[in-house]
Amino acid sequence: MSAINPIERITQERIIALFTKQLGYVYYGIWEERTSNSNIEEKYLKAFLQKQGYADILISKAINVLSDLAHTSSGNLYDRNKAFYSKLRYGVSEKTELGEQNESIYPIDWQNPLNNEFGIAEEVTLNGNKTRRPDLVLYINGIAIGVIELKRGTVDIAESIRQCISNWRETFNEQFYTSVQFIFAGNNTQGLRYGTIETGEKYYLAWKEDEDDNTGYKLDKYLKKICSKERFIDLLYNSVIFDAGVKKLPRPHQYHALKAAQDFARRREGGIIWHTQGSGKSLMMVLLGKWILENIDNSRIVILTDRTELDEQIERVFREVGEKDIVRSQSGQDLMQHLTATKPRLICSLIHKFGNTGEADYNTFIKELRENPVQTQGEIFVFVDECHRTQSGKLNETMHAILGSAVFIGFTGTPLLKQDKQTTMDVFGRYIHTYKFNEAVADGVVKDLMYEGRNIEQKLSSQSRVDEWFEAKTWGLNDFQKNELKKKWGTMQRVLSSKSRMEKIVQDILFDFNTKPRLNSQMGNAILVASSIYEACKYYALFQETELKGKSALITSYNPQTGDITKEDTGANTETDREFIFKIYEQLLRNVIPKANKTKTESYEVDSKERFRKEPARMKLLIVVSKLLTGFDAPPCTYIYIDKKMQDHTLFQAICRVNRLDTDDKDYGYIVDYMELFGNVTESINLYTSELDSEGFTKEEVEIVLKDRLKMASERLETSLETLEAICEAVENPKTDLQYIHYFCGNTEIESDLKANEYKRVALYKVIVAYVRAYTGIKSEMLLAGYDEKQIKRFDQRLEFYLHLREVIRIASGETLDLKAYEADMRFLIDHYIQAEDAHKVSPFDDISLLQLIEADLDKAIASLPESIKHNQEAVAEAIENNVRSKLIEAHLLDPKYFEKMSALLLELIAERKRGVIKYQEYLRKMVELVTSVNKGGGKDLPKTLNTRGKVAIYHILEDEPQTLACEDAIQYHKQNGFRESLPKQNLLKKAIYDVVKDKEKVNEIFQIVEANKEDYR
């Protein structure tokens, strides 16, 4: 089996060889027993700085600064890591003596990557609140820069990622990670994932490059790509970003785009970076801007956006990465002044400040600019956000008149339509780099989209009565006046008739919140797009009369002013549209306390968006018109309900609100269309394929396919069931529980058998969960999906079968399934489908373990076993035996002598049962006695003074009560904090035990108990 599923040690040795023999890293050794492990290995750092020619006094000061920062526990990890990175990148500023100029001491030679010493150590014991031992640590000049955790191929990479995350938490070894920049998790089957400090599990990234190369393990391939000396230095220097409390590393497409854009910038050539919505376009601007300012002499950057929020964000992020010479222009005149001065080097501006001249004098304005060009200073690079919509017409002409010699780089998240191509290409040039929708979905950067059109029909109850009423009310008006009123009346008809329609949409959305797995689980939320502010307010009012009262918010461009309604009173006992809007906003803003420098409306919007992002259970629905549909400030969600006519780029950006990553139970982003925006899926594909500027791309590369929800749900259901049937096909006939146990577990008495078949069980568990997800997603709509009663019954029966099979295999193997990633789905299934029928409970034991149940009531324990086990004496026996064995293995170190006896009794009992010497009922009685002894964990007739597990275990070795108590006193008096991680402290404790027992062999046995028992010997 080792050749198929090698143990971690073999993989680790292969990776060490890769680093030392292929990448040229120095092997530092196994640092498991080394007590002085640090994230700053001063010996190596000092040797490097001496080689660089720094004065000894500067070297000493720099090392002290770095060590103090690396080892401090003040502040949070993010701030410490950010401060340490700043010292790495910009150097430590010190002076040799008072009165001298400060010098910068660089711990890493960024300009000459091969001048640095790259090292690797394995099994590096980290001593902190809890001892951890990362598999591999990467050092540059003695500074811990990277950590690698490896798992064997049958262990999901998610487990390695979770271990990485727990290592940097305060509970464990947070301090060591002050200097760490890259954290890697990997195995032979799934390859490599990377993140950094405080990166959540779902944001660990996979590298992507040279996909055609399939010669070796992907783990090795991408460690070589990322950790080669030149690449690693480049990534560290040019691609690490600290953004508003979140440390970010580049995704592969961002890094490759940065390298391509650098080549364009060196040639002073402009172009377009097309990275699909949600893939980090704003961060791309910052990475490229930072590089240009540092590498192109006399360069200046103008970043043009069309949203104030993005303008503010760009400025903030540049300041976060250390760029201080930056300003946001306040007006067109202010922008001109900045452009004609030599500073600042980085200017943020709203795009409309180039086009704020009135229509009448526009031509004169352009003529004057051409006759008297603006004398801009420096080599200007212009970044234009969403270039497809900000480059047209007058803006285009104005920008070129003012910044004619500048290099223009356009950024867009949506593909260019043919109608935009000419103007866009004229301004920006060819594509620099593209990252298309299908690539982002395949890479797991965004979620795929699921489309569903819903039709809410409307009709007037009596058109003749309406016409009759209209004629009566317009008697005496001429034809012109009647036509004008009919236009108004047509609008009124739509508003009046839409009330029932809006009520139906509200009920439809509420139904989703009660039945759709993600919305129902409190983890997902939604955005409703209304056609107007008036309709948005109507929707808001309707939702306030439902269960979403207090959990929905209204976000529009409206800001109430008293002047809005001063001329609205008609004298009738009705309210106009404006009065209604004003009333709704007055109600929702009544208890809002304005934040600093913000209006009540702005404060309400900030709080609502924050809750929507961070507390979806408290803010489930945002009702919007235009705001929050485009740009970085638009919050992600699971569903978007569209009741507004939209098209082209605006529509695509809006629906991409739902393609953002979220918790693990989010599989798709769902678009519900009440306006027949697409008509059908084909029309949508046509829009984004026939109208695209293909530029040599294939249709498959550029198309955005919106999946039909029920069709996709059906495919997921059928595929997952087919996969389950295929996995179980190899089980021998007659396919009873015994054959399933033998196939998925082997011989449950042989631990190596269980381990060898672990990969089969992992595959089974995963696909069962996939089937559960697919089942819950379509259960209430199976008839709509085209299934008949017979087919539906089969899906139900197979679900029940596979849930019971999972329990059989789990119990037989003594395993506890890790359902962390699937808790929400399983909880939904239990709440809505399983617990409705008692016989379908997923877990038969609730919160009581099988061994506790056996001790309390054997009959009840057997009755609680899955149906396919409890009627089979052989299966019952194996289930009980395996659970007892697991308990014995788990508790053995806490009391070896006692549990060795228990293990011997178990083996003897199993042997008797198999030889037929003992009858089934007698076997069960003896098993209850054994389980009772195991649960008590000490044996009968023990002295009352032995009141802890530790004392009992020592007594089983010494068999002398006074000596046991003397030994216990010596241990408690001499054990020191952290003795498990310190060899000197261990030796001191062993000497104290020896002074009592006078036997080296017993000293070692007792010390093993003390080391394993963390409850009695903390």
Side-chain angles (χ1 to χ4, degrees):
M1 287 300 297
S2 62
I4 296 297
N5 182 32
I7 59 174
E8 290 168 25
R9 181 70 222 172
I10 294 174
T11 301
Q12 189 166 311
E13 288 172 356
R14 189 185 78 239
I15 297 303
I16 291 170
L18 182 150
F19 273 94
T20 54
K21 295 178 181 178
Q22 297 184 50
L23 297 180
Y25 282 58
V26 177
Y27 180 62
Y28 289 158
I30 300 175
W31 283 0
E32 182 176 356
E33 302 296 332
R34 191 169 177 260
T35 57
S36 59
N37 294 332
S38 170
N39 51 0
I40 303 281
E41 295 292 337
E42 294 188 12
K43 178 178 73 171
Y44 300 108
L45 179 56
K46 184 177 181 180
F48 167 76
L49 293 175
Q50 286 174 335
K51 186 180 75 170
Q52 294 296 94
Y54 293 111
D56 287 344
I57 184 66
L58 291 177
I59 292 174
S60 179
K61 287 183 176 183
I63 290 176
N64 286 339
V65 168
L66 291 170
S67 295
D68 289 346
L69 184 54
H71 301 144
T72 184
S73 56
S74 64
N76 58 56
L77 178 59
Y78 173 85
D79 289 333
R80 294 201 305 270
N81 191 276
K82 180 182 175 184
F84 193 91
Y85 177 77
S86 180
K87 299 294 183 189
L88 287 181
R89 196 179 192 282
Y90 302 108
V92 179
S93 183
E94 289 292 339
K95 59 182 70 175
T96 53
E97 56 186 57
L98 288 174
E100 293 292 328
Q101 293 267 340
N102 273 25
E103 292 186 43
S104 292
I105 304 99
Y106 289 92
I108 294 175
D109 187 343
W110 300 109
Q111 304 306 314
N112 305 289
L114 301 182
N115 201 30
N116 301 285
E117 178 174 285
F118 292 75
I120 184 170
E122 57 179 322
E123 303 298 337
V124 180
T125 299
L126 310 182
N127 296 313
N129 293 333
K130 301 280 173 60
T131 299
R132 284 295 175 96
R133 193 172 293 118
D135 294 328
L136 301 169
V137 177
L138 307 179
Y139 297 84
I140 299 179
N141 305 325
I143 301 170
I145 295 294
V147 172
I148 303 175
E149 287 290 350
L150 301 170
K151 295 293 179 188
R152 66 189 303 169
T154 52
V155 177
D156 197 291
I157 202 168
E159 186 175 322
S160 182
I161 292 172
R162 290 176 197 147
Q163 186 172 329
C164 291
I165 291 171
S166 69
N167 284 349
W168 54 252
R169 293 197 184 280
E170 185 179 0
T171 338
F172 293 97
N173 308 97
E174 179 190 75
Q175 202 174 72
F176 185 84
Y177 286 78
T178 298
S179 68
V180 172
Q181 307 302 316
F182 272 75
I183 301 173
F184 300 98
N187 64 21
N188 285 342
T189 51
Q190 292 167 288
L192 183 70
R193 303 291 184 272
Y194 67 97
T196 186
I197 55 118
E198 299 185 352
T199 301
E201 180 181 338
K202 67 182 177 184
Y203 292 114
Y204 266 71
L205 305 168
W207 199 258
K208 183 178 175 182
E209 190 175 359
D210 295 338
E211 293 92 321
D212 292 338
D213 177 11
N214 194 36
T215 54
Y217 291 111
K218 297 299 184 287
L219 171 64
D220 305 47
K221 172 184 174 179
Y222 287 122
L223 279 173
K224 282 170 66 177
K225 294 287 186 187
I226 296 175
C227 297
S228 67
K229 293 179 179 179
E230 292 91 340
R231 170 72 66 83
F232 207 15
I233 289 291
D234 186 26
L235 282 165
L236 290 168
Y237 190 75
N238 290 314
S239 304
V240 175
I241 296 289
F242 293 84
D243 178 16
V246 180
K247 183 176 182 182
K248 298 175 180 177
L249 299 176
R251 291 169 172 153
H253 71 273
Q254 290 171 320
Y255 179 76
H256 298 319
L258 177 62
K259 302 311 290 179
Q262 287 171 2
D263 291 337
F264 272 67
R266 288 189 187 99
R267 298 193 302 268
R268 309 302 190 266
E269 179 183 353
I272 300 166
I273 295 176
W274 164 23
H275 284 182
T276 196
Q277 294 290 337
S279 61
K281 182 165 47 71
S282 301
L283 185 62
M284 190 65 240
M285 282 190 191
V286 176
L287 292 172
L288 179 57
K290 188 175 71 162
W291 183 88
I292 288 174
L293 291 175
E294 290 183 342
N295 291 275
I296 296 182
D297 293 339
N298 202 28
S299 59
R300 302 178 73 194
I301 295 176
V302 179
I303 300 181
L304 302 177
T305 68
D306 62 354
R307 294 183 305 279
T308 301
E309 295 91 343
L310 184 54
D311 198 35
E312 292 172 348
Q313 185 210 27
I314 292 291
E315 180 195 26
R316 186 194 71 240
V317 177
F318 268 102
R319 291 192 185 279
E320 289 272 339
V321 299
E323 184 57 56
K324 308 300 181 188
D325 192 13
I326 180 173
V327 72
R328 289 175 58 216
S329 67
Q330 302 302 311
S331 64
Q333 185 179 1
D334 185 38
L335 175 59
M336 294 301 176
Q337 288 176 350
H338 291 314
L339 289 171
T340 54
T342 56
K343 286 183 174 289
R345 293 188 67 196
L346 202 153
I347 306 166
C348 298
S349 178
L350 295 177
I351 189 79
H352 60 72
K353 289 172 185 173
F354 278 90
N356 57 1
T357 304
E359 182 71 33
D361 59 352
Y362 177 75
N363 291 332
T364 304
F365 173 66
I366 291 294
K367 183 180 178 184
E368 288 175 356
L369 281 175
R370 287 175 176 160
E371 291 174 354
N372 302 287
V374 177
Q375 299 301 312
T376 56
Q377 300 295 314
E379 285 206 54
I380 296 179
F381 289 79
V382 182
F383 293 177
V384 182
D385 179 48
E386 295 302 348
C387 59
H388 63 271
R389 68 168 185 252
T390 55
Q391 46 67 40
S392 60
K394 295 168 186 171
L395 290 176
N396 173 6
E397 201 170 357
T398 308
M399 285 192 300
H400 268 278
I402 295 174
L403 303 170
S405 60
V407 177
F408 284 81
I409 298 176
F411 293 80
T412 182
T414 53
L416 297 180
L417 299 181
K418 284 180 179 177
Q419 64 195 42
D420 297 330
K421 178 183 177 182
Q422 194 57 49
T423 14
T424 308
M425 294 293 181
D426 285 346
V427 176
F428 300 102
R430 59 199 177 106
Y431 286 113
I432 295 173
H433 191 266
T434 63
Y435 188 59
K436 297 170 286 293
F437 184 84
N438 64 313
E439 292 178 284
V441 171
D443 292 345
V445 171
V446 298
K447 292 293 184 182
D448 214 339
L449 299 172
M450 193 84 78
Y451 171 77
E452 178 182 5
R454 296 183 188 173
N455 183 33
I456 306 290
E457 291 187 3
Q458 299 184 83
K459 61 182 179 180
L460 290 172
S461 57
S462 175
Q463 183 67 48
S464 62
R465 294 291 295 272
V466 171
D467 292 340
E468 184 180 341
W469 188 92
F470 180 80
E471 289 300 325
K473 291 296 182 181
T474 59
W475 183 84
L477 297 183
N478 61 38
D479 290 343
F480 174 80
Q481 292 169 324
K482 283 187 178 183
N483 285 333
E484 287 300 305
L485 190 55
K486 275 188 175 180
K487 291 177 184 176
K488 176 69 174 176
W489 179 244
T491 303
M492 290 176 68
Q493 279 183 310
R494 287 195 294 273
V495 172
L496 290 172
S497 65
S498 72
K499 184 185 176 188
S500 62
R501 177 180 179 278
M502 292 173 76
E503 288 173 345
K504 288 179 181 177
I505 288 175
V506 167
Q507 293 305 314
D508 192 52
I509 293 172
L510 288 174
F511 182 81
D512 282 355
F513 270 100
N514 282 281
T515 59
K516 302 304 182 189
R518 189 166 161 75
L519 293 179
N520 182 273
S521 71
Q522 310 292 313
M523 295 302 292
N525 47 23
I527 289 175
L528 168 60
V529 187
S531 292
S532 65
I533 295 175
Y534 174 80
E535 288 195 13
C537 290
K538 290 286 282 187
Y539 273 125
Y540 178 79
L542 288 169
F543 276 109
Q544 295 314 294
E545 299 173 6
T546 72
E547 63 201 62
L548 291 188
K549 180 180 180 179
K551 296 180 180 179
S552 54
L554 182 62
I555 309 291
T556 75
S557 58
Y558 181 71
N559 186 28
Q561 306 290 334
T562 307
D564 296 342
I565 58 170
T566 54
K567 297 179 181 179
E568 290 293 302
D569 198 334
T570 64
N573 291 323
T574 58
E575 60 185 2
T576 64
D577 289 2
R578 282 193 178 187
E579 287 177 316
F580 176 73
I581 294 168
F582 184 85
K583 182 185 74 173
I584 292 294
Y585 264 87
E586 193 176 43
Q587 291 171 356
L588 67 85
L589 297 177
R590 185 170 294 152
N591 298 318
V592 174
I593 299 172
K595 300 179 184 295
N597 302 317
K598 292 188 182 296
T599 65
K600 271 192 169 188
T601 309
E602 290 169 337
S603 303
Y604 167 80
E605 181 177 323
V606 168
D607 288 341
S608 299
K609 287 195 299 186
E610 191 74 4
R611 288 206 304 276
F612 190 80
R613 283 191 180 98
K614 296 183 178 179
E615 302 174 84
R618 291 184 59 212
M619 184 55 67
K620 302 181 77 63
L621 180 70
L622 294 184
I623 304 164
V624 308
V625 180
S626 296
K627 297 193 77 171
L628 305 191
L629 294 182
T630 60
F632 84 99
D633 63 321
C637 57
T638 305
Y639 278 74
I640 186 166
Y641 297 93
I642 302 177
D643 191 28
K644 176 184 180 180
K645 290 292 183 184
M646 304 168 74
Q647 61 184 8
D648 298 346
H649 296 293
T650 305
L651 174 60
F652 181 59
Q653 286 188 306
I655 64 179
C656 282
R657 297 307 101 213
V658 296
N659 75 350
R660 305 303 201 263
L661 301 179
D662 210 319
T663 47
D664 291 329
D665 60 331
K666 182 175 180 179
D667 295 313
Y668 295 93
Y670 293 90
I671 303 146
V672 178
D673 169 20
Y674 293 113
M675 297 295 283
E676 298 182 5
L677 298 177
F678 304 100
N680 54 48
V681 178
T682 305
E683 287 184 22
S684 173
I685 294 173
N686 289 341
L687 173 65
Y688 283 102
T689 53
S690 65
E691 290 305 312
L692 279 177
D693 160 36
S694 61
E695 190 79 359
F697 303 131
T698 65
K699 175 182 175 181
E700 290 71 28
E701 287 178 316
V702 296
E703 71 178 357
I704 288 74
V705 181
L706 298 179
K707 310 293 192 300
D708 179 87
R709 185 179 61 80
L710 285 178
K711 181 181 178 185
M712 287 299 296
S714 299
E715 288 179 7
R716 289 175 65 200
L717 181 70
E718 293 168 14
T719 300
S720 57
L721 182 56
E722 285 173 10
T723 306
L724 269 175
E725 306 282 331
I727 286 175
C728 296
E729 189 176 358
V731 176
E732 292 182 359
N733 290 323
K735 293 188 188 292
T736 67
D737 53 349
L738 195 59
Q739 283 78 45
Y740 279 103
I741 290 171
H742 288 166
Y743 179 74
F744 286 104
C745 304
N747 186 337
T748 58
E749 296 175 1
I750 301 174
E751 190 175 349
S752 60
D753 258 25
L754 285 169
K755 196 67 179 174
N757 288 287
E758 182 181 32
Y759 74 97
K760 295 180 185 177
R761 297 193 297 278
V762 169
L764 177 71
Y765 296 154
K766 282 188 175 183
V767 182
I768 288 175
V769 169
Y771 184 50
V772 167
R773 281 190 179 184
Y775 178 88
T776 57
I778 199 175
K779 169 65 178 175
S780 62
E781 299 174 296
M782 282 188 167
L783 289 172
L784 286 175
Y787 294 112
D788 58 32
E789 293 294 340
K790 183 178 179 181
Q791 291 171 312
I792 294 171
K793 185 177 180 181
R794 177 176 178 270
F795 285 125
D796 290 343
Q797 290 173 341
R798 298 317 287 164
L799 176 72
E800 183 178 348
F801 172 81
Y802 283 114
L803 284 172
H804 284 302
L805 175 62
R806 185 186 71 81
E807 284 304 304
V808 168
I809 301 304
R810 185 184 69 82
I811 293 168
S813 62
E815 291 174 335
T816 301
L817 180 61
D818 180 6
L819 284 175
K820 289 184 182 69
Y822 313 113
E823 285 171 355
D825 299 301
M826 296 300 288
R827 191 179 302 114
F828 180 83
L829 178 71
I830 293 167
D831 291 345
H832 289 79
Y833 304 118
I834 306 303
Q835 286 188 342
E837 300 176 26
D838 293 340
H840 292 179
K841 291 176 73 174
V842 173
S843 174
F845 306 128
D846 295 314
D847 295 325
I848 303 174
S849 76
L850 178 61
L851 298 189
Q852 290 173 314
L853 206 54
I854 288 171
E855 183 181 355
D857 188 334
L858 179 65
D859 292 336
K860 185 177 178 182
I862 293 174
S864 297
L865 289 167
E867 197 70 28
S868 55
I869 287 183
K870 65 184 180 184
H871 300 302
N872 184 319
Q873 293 182 0
E874 181 76 11
V876 169
E878 287 195 7
I880 294 173
E881 289 160 4
N882 204 57
N883 276 268
V884 176
R885 184 184 297 104
S886 296
K887 175 73 172 179
L888 292 173
I889 292 170
E890 178 187 331
H892 181 266
L893 287 176
L894 298 177
D895 195 346
K897 294 286 185 184
Y898 176 72
F899 284 105
E900 279 172 13
K901 294 178 184 176
M902 295 298 102
S903 296
L905 288 174
L906 176 64
L907 292 174
E908 184 180 336
L909 199 51
I910 292 171
E912 288 183 356
R913 176 181 67 80
K914 290 195 169 184
R915 291 198 306 270
V917 175
I918 188 169
K919 293 183 179 179
Y920 183 64
Q921 292 301 323
E922 177 66 11
Y923 159 81
L924 290 178
R925 185 187 64 77
K926 289 193 173 185
M927 188 58 77
V928 170
E929 292 178 0
L930 177 61
V931 167
T932 302
S933 299
V934 168
N935 284 339
K936 288 181 179 177
K940 301 176 181 178
D941 304 323
L942 288 170
K944 292 182 179 180
T945 55
L946 307 181
N947 52 10
T948 69
R949 173 171 277 188
K951 291 177 186 177
V952 170
I954 296 171
Y955 177 76
H956 285 147
I957 293 172
L958 299 178
E959 299 181 338
D960 182 279
E961 181 186 1
Q963 193 178 33
T964 297
L965 295 175
C967 188
E968 173 74 12
D969 289 341
I971 292 167
Q972 295 292 353
Y973 183 78
H974 289 92
K975 71 177 176 63
Q976 298 180 22
N977 187 39
F979 73 89
R980 290 180 176 84
E981 295 81 42
S982 170
L983 194 57
K985 292 177 182 179
Q986 292 175 14
N987 291 334
L988 180 68
L989 185 55
K990 287 179 180 179
K991 182 179 183 305
I993 298 170
Y994 181 81
D995 290 342
V996 175
V997 303
K998 307 296 183 184
D999 184 319
K1000 288 185 178 179
E1001 187 175 332
K1002 288 183 177 179
V1003 167
N1004 289 328
E1005 290 178 4
I1006 292 170
F1007 180 78
Q1008 286 178 5
I1009 291 170
V1010 173
E1011 188 176 36
N1013 189 335
K1014 295 182 180 179
E1015 183 177 337
D1016 297 328
Y1017 307 107
R1018 292 174 179 160

